[in-house]
Amino acid sequence: MQGVRACGGAAWLPWFATVAPVLIMLLGLLGLLIVCLYLGMAVTNFVWLYPILTAMPITPAVWQRQLWLPSWR
């Protein structure tokens, strides 16, 4: 029975992630601020990872900056 609940939650998660910004925007100005901050963070993360995602050649110094946690090095 636990497996069924886990699968049900996994099936709803993508839908919730898609609808959540709309629900937050319905809260008014605070919701709009939250959505804008989330969108800004998502775009910033994409720009930061763009060289790696597109397999562009980067210097070792840039690669070291991409590795945030010491355990990644």
Side-chain angles (χ1 to χ4, degrees):
M1 194 60 161
Q2 283 294 84
V4 173
R5 287 188 191 134
C7 290
W12 282 100
L13 184 62
W15 289 103
F16 178 73
T18 306
V19 174
V22 176
L23 294 175
I24 292 173
M25 280 195 327
L26 293 176
L27 296 174
L29 188 57
L30 178 62
L32 182 61
L33 177 66
I34 292 170
V35 170
C36 289
L37 288 173
Y38 175 78
L39 182 62
M41 288 174 29
V43 169
T44 302
N45 187 42
F46 177 76
V47 169
W48 177 259
L49 294 176
Y50 183 77
I52 294 173
L53 296 173
T54 58
M56 292 173 56
I58 57 175
T59 64
V62 172
W63 176 248
Q64 289 300 318
R65 280 190 305 231
Q66 295 286 344
L67 305 175
W68 298 340
L69 298 177
S71 62
W72 294 354
R73 295 177 183 181

